[in-house]
Amino acid sequence: MMIAIAVTALGLGHTAQAAEPLKVGISGEPYPPFTYKAASGDWTGFEVELAHAFCAAMDRECEIAPTGWSGIIPSLNAGRIDMIMNSMSITDKRKRVIDFTRPYYFTPGAYVATSDQVLDIPDGLDGLVMGVQSATTNATYARRALRDSGVDIRLYDQAEQVNNDLLSGRLDVILADEIAMMQFLDRNEAEAFEIKATAPLHEAYGEGIGIGLRQGEDALREALNAAIATVIEGGTCASLSEQYLGTDVCVYD
């Protein structure tokens, strides 16, 4: 009798645990159009809606868990979130501490400066001040590929800080995700700026954007890979990408 009760209790515990929502880590700093707060106060954006689509494909609930970008990997490994879905590139450096799903989207880095500025990249960067968000693949690329260009690289904690310093004239040029920059340039205050060039393919940019997971979470990774395939092949990813980004950035097999 006692054994039966213990087994039943254990089974209920497993069921309750399995039913818990997956905590999806996104940066607490808005990163439109990928992650940002709607007028209702709820988080939305391309990756937020895509996360819900992935969870629906797995018949699981999602709980959006805003986390500071600089501490998002430690939060994952500490168990405070179950996955990272925040434009995180799959790189060899990150793969030393976390696992990834297959990539679900990819965009290059883009240089943005004033429209009237003649900018030859990378040779024309000498003597200019360039802003980049820290702990990103664009920052890694800047350190590796632009260190001999003569550009003064300034690192920022948040993407919006970089944008604001460009608008105020404290920066000559910025390097950031191309899609995010296309959205930024749609603002009225950014009408005097334009994309000057995109960064070339480089090892710093990794294999594309994937979902970050704790190492050893093989069952969850396999389930998410299947969900990504379902959402991409079914056209949901492309539909959300067109809605939020104006183009299809989904990665197809």
Side-chain angles (χ1 to χ4, degrees):
M1 177 70 73
M2 294 299 292
I3 293 175
I5 293 173
V7 170
T8 301
L10 182 62
L12 289 173
H14 269 299
T15 301
Q17 185 178 17
E20 291 180 359
L22 288 170
K23 294 182 179 179
V24 183
I26 65 170
S27 174
E29 304 85 24
Y31 188 54
F34 299 95
T35 57
Y36 62 95
K37 281 190 176 183
S40 64
D42 295 326
W43 284 90
T44 188
F46 173 59
E47 287 190 283
V48 172
E49 299 304 321
L50 203 55
H52 286 301
F54 292 157
C55 287
M58 296 189 296
D59 198 24
R60 295 286 302 272
E61 288 186 26
C62 275
E63 177 183 315
I64 302 302
T67 306
W69 172 253
S70 61
I72 204 164
I73 288 179
S75 291
L76 174 69
N77 285 330
R80 290 189 287 272
I81 55 177
D82 298 305
M83 55 199 242
I84 298 171
M85 198 163 165
N86 204 153
S87 296
M88 182 168 279
S89 298
I90 305 168
T91 64
D92 289 338
K93 181 178 180 180
R94 288 175 176 150
K95 285 195 288 188
R96 295 176 196 147
V97 292
I98 62 173
D99 284 343
F100 282 95
T101 62
R102 54 163 282 186
Y104 56 92
Y105 93 83
F106 178 81
T107 59
Y111 296 89
V112 174
T114 55
S115 302
D116 59 1
Q117 184 175 3
V118 177
L119 192 58
D120 180 23
I121 297 172
D123 296 338
L125 294 173
D126 188 14
L128 300 184
V129 181
M130 183 175 72
V132 189
Q133 185 182 11
S134 61
T136 63
T137 51
N138 284 307
T140 301
Y141 172 79
R143 287 196 303 270
R144 294 181 184 178
L146 303 177
R147 59 189 174 188
D148 297 327
S149 68
V151 68
D152 179 3
I153 301 170
R154 305 281 176 86
L155 298 178
Y156 293 75
D157 290 333
Q158 300 178 24
E160 193 60 16
Q161 293 172 333
V162 187
N163 298 341
N164 288 337
D165 272 10
L166 179 69
L167 292 172
S168 67
R170 286 188 287 269
L171 294 172
D172 299 306
V173 60
I174 64 176
L175 176 61
D177 180 271
E178 182 182 36
I179 295 296
M181 287 299 93
M182 290 170 62
Q183 298 289 319
F184 165 69
L185 293 173
D186 280 340
R187 302 181 192 177
N188 291 333
E189 63 267 31
E191 62 181 359
F193 298 84
E194 67 181 11
I195 292 176
K196 294 296 186 179
T198 56
L201 290 176
H202 189 276
E203 61 180 3
Y205 288 108
E207 306 163 24
I209 305 300
I211 300 173
L213 302 168
R214 283 184 292 277
Q215 292 180 339
E217 296 275 355
D218 297 337
L220 180 57
R221 186 180 73 250
E222 291 173 9
L224 280 166
N225 279 336
I228 291 170
T230 296
V231 170
I232 289 179
E233 291 167 10
T236 300
C237 182
S239 178
L240 289 171
S241 183
E242 291 286 353
Q243 175 186 343
Y244 284 99
L245 312 178
T247 188
D248 185 0
V249 299
C250 306
V251 174
Y252 298 83
D253 280 339

